[in-house]
Amino acid sequence: MTDNASLPAGRPLVRLNALIAGRPALLRGGAALLLGFAGYGALQASTQVAQAAGLTPAAAAQAQRMQAMEHKVERMQARVATIRTAAQQHATRIEQRQALLTAALTGQGDARRLALATLAVDPQATRVAADTIRPFLKVERRQVALAQVAEQHLLDRYAATAQQLRQRGIAPGRVAKAGAAMGGPLVEANSTEARADLAADQQFRSLFMTWKKLDRLEQGVIAIPSVQPVQKLQFTSNFGIRSDPFRGTAAMHAGVDIPGPSGTPIYATADGVVSHAGRQGGYGNMVEINHGKGIATRYGHLSKIIVADNTRVKRGQLIALMGSTGRSTGPHLHYEVRIDGHAVNPVPFLTTADYLMAAQDRAVGQIPVSTTGPVPQD
């Protein structure tokens, strides 16, 4: 055995290494002793805390168990709150989706409210509450299936309405109501807000966008003359070239003549603003209504005008009484439809107006719509 005194005095590190190399058991024993002292210190500290609080070791253990139970209760309460929130979110979403489905069938709804049907709910809360909200999820799956059917219904309606407009020589883009003005602060694509938007339910987003597209078109249809201007519709003179009733020579007739007793009520055939209400040359007493989108209607030979310039009128509203003023041979209504200032044949707007009237305006009194063409000129 090497004597420690024989080691060079100036080399403590060498002495320590030699000591460790020569005594591994001593090292292990020292480590165990050190850990023992540490454990004893922790125990003493815990005991001192319990004693300071006036608790015995048994009471301290009980306090620890109570603290653990409190933490468990807090976690349970948080879970219950999450489940309650998830249930409320899904119940609200069911109502919002139902409102959009109803709007798809009726054509009526508020765009801002219906847009809420496209928003997503918290997926984490949904997973936590999966067992509790299972009935809600079942209803939502049925709504998704209905949304597919409803969207096809909207697409069919849009195609039918657009076809009706084209048959009248009007491009659907002319009357489709413009979307709202756009703007607002920049939202980065990788932001939480953008990700939530992208995660929105795609089926109902598609349904909402299709509904909005149709709604814009049908709102624009209000500008299309699509109810007849009198209760009883018949024709005594067609649109186009005819024999002038005063000269007997060929002349262009810019509208149709609809006969009836003097004083017969005359109705606006579409929403618009009265651009003229008064005397107008050969028209006699005339009302002209600007319907927007470059579309206007004229009502001539009136015995009495009921509306004034620059007043807004609704489709089906009484605007005048039939007469024989101006260049006229007897009581009748001279009715014109003009697009961009040019007279077009009014007959297509009168004989097949049923669909356009039903497309948007359900409040108009059912003024009969002719299903027959004009009779030969008298």
Side-chain angles (χ1 to χ4, degrees), residues 47-71:
T47 302
Q48 290 173 1
V49 170
Q51 289 175 349
L55 300 176
T56 65
Q62 179 67 19
Q64 290 177 352
R65 287 194 295 272
M66 289 295 297
Q67 186 177 19
M69 291 179 62
E70 289 175 358
H71 289 323

Side-chain angles (χ1 to χ4, degrees), residues 105-129:
L105 297 176
T106 64
Q108 299 178 348
D110 178 72
R112 292 184 178 180
R113 180 170 178 264
L114 296 179
L116 297 174
T118 68
L119 300 180
V121 297
D122 183 2
Q124 177 62 29
T126 298
R127 285 192 292 270
V128 171

Side-chain angles (χ1 to χ4, degrees), residues 15-93:
R15 289 201 307 273
L16 180 60
N17 287 338
L19 182 62
I20 291 173
R23 295 174 174 81
L26 179 61
L27 179 62
R28 290 193 296 271
L33 183 61
L34 180 62
L35 292 174
F37 280 133
Y40 176 76
L43 179 61
Q44 284 294 99
S46 177
T47 302
Q48 290 173 1
V49 170
Q51 289 175 349
L55 300 176
T56 65
Q62 179 67 19
Q64 290 177 352
R65 287 194 295 272
M66 289 295 297
Q67 186 177 19
M69 291 179 62
E70 289 175 358
H71 289 323
K72 186 175 181 179
V73 169
E74 289 175 358
R75 290 193 296 271
M76 291 176 62
Q77 290 175 337
R79 181 181 177 84
V80 169
T82 299
I83 292 173
R84 183 183 296 112
T85 299
Q88 291 174 343
Q89 289 178 343
H90 283 270
T92 300
R93 184 162 75 166

Side-chain angles (χ1 to χ4, degrees), residues 47-301:
T47 302
Q48 290 173 1
V49 170
Q51 289 175 349
L55 300 176
T56 65
Q62 179 67 19
Q64 290 177 352
R65 287 194 295 272
M66 289 295 297
Q67 186 177 19
M69 291 179 62
E70 289 175 358
H71 289 323
K72 186 175 181 179
V73 169
E74 289 175 358
R75 290 193 296 271
M76 291 176 62
Q77 290 175 337
R79 181 181 177 84
V80 169
T82 299
I83 292 173
R84 183 183 296 112
T85 299
Q88 291 174 343
Q89 289 178 343
H90 283 270
T92 300
R93 184 162 75 166
I94 287 173
E95 293 180 357
Q96 292 165 344
R97 284 178 167 184
Q98 195 60 40
L100 180 54
L101 289 169
T102 301
L105 297 176
T106 64
Q108 299 178 348
D110 178 72
R112 292 184 178 180
R113 180 170 178 264
L114 296 179
L116 297 174
T118 68
L119 300 180
V121 297
D122 183 2
Q124 177 62 29
T126 298
R127 285 192 292 270
V128 171
D131 292 337
T132 305
I133 64 173
R134 186 174 289 112
F136 290 163
L137 298 178
K138 183 178 179 180
V139 173
E140 289 178 1
R141 286 193 294 271
R142 293 180 58 187
Q143 287 181 322
V144 170
L146 290 173
Q148 297 173 349
V149 177
E151 183 172 4
Q152 186 58 53
H153 173 68
L154 293 179
L155 291 172
D156 292 343
R157 282 173 56 187
Y158 184 91
T161 304
Q163 180 62 24
Q164 291 288 332
L165 293 172
R166 293 189 186 97
Q167 289 177 357
R168 291 160 176 76
I170 300 174
R174 171 188 285 271
V175 300
K177 186 177 180 181
M182 302 177 67
L186 173 67
V187 178
E188 297 295 341
N190 62 352
S191 68
T192 302
E193 181 180 347
R195 287 197 300 272
D197 186 63
L198 292 174
D201 187 287
Q202 292 303 309
Q203 181 63 59
F204 278 85
R205 175 177 290 276
S206 178
L207 175 62
F208 173 69
M209 296 305 294
T210 303
W211 175 85
K212 189 160 65 171
K213 178 182 177 182
L214 177 62
D215 184 64
R216 287 175 177 172
L217 181 63
E218 292 185 341
Q219 289 290 338
V221 163
I222 295 175
I224 307 300
S226 51
V227 296
Q228 59 194 52
V230 295
Q231 288 279 357
K232 183 179 180 181
L233 183 65
Q234 56 181 314
F235 302 94
T236 56
S237 187
N238 298 330
F239 173 85
I241 302 299
R242 69 170 183 175
S243 175
D244 183 79
F246 290 94
R247 296 183 179 180
T249 59
M252 176 64 188
H253 188 224
V256 291
D257 290 340
I258 303 171
S262 184
T264 298
I266 307 298
Y267 304 98
T269 56
D271 289 12
V273 176
V274 177
S275 56
H276 179 84
R279 197 81 180 181
Q280 183 68 34
Y283 289 97
N285 293 330
M286 185 196 78
V287 170
E288 180 171 0
I289 301 176
N290 179 6
H291 304 288
K293 315 295 183 181
I295 302 170
T297 51
R298 290 181 177 180
Y299 311 77
H301 308 310

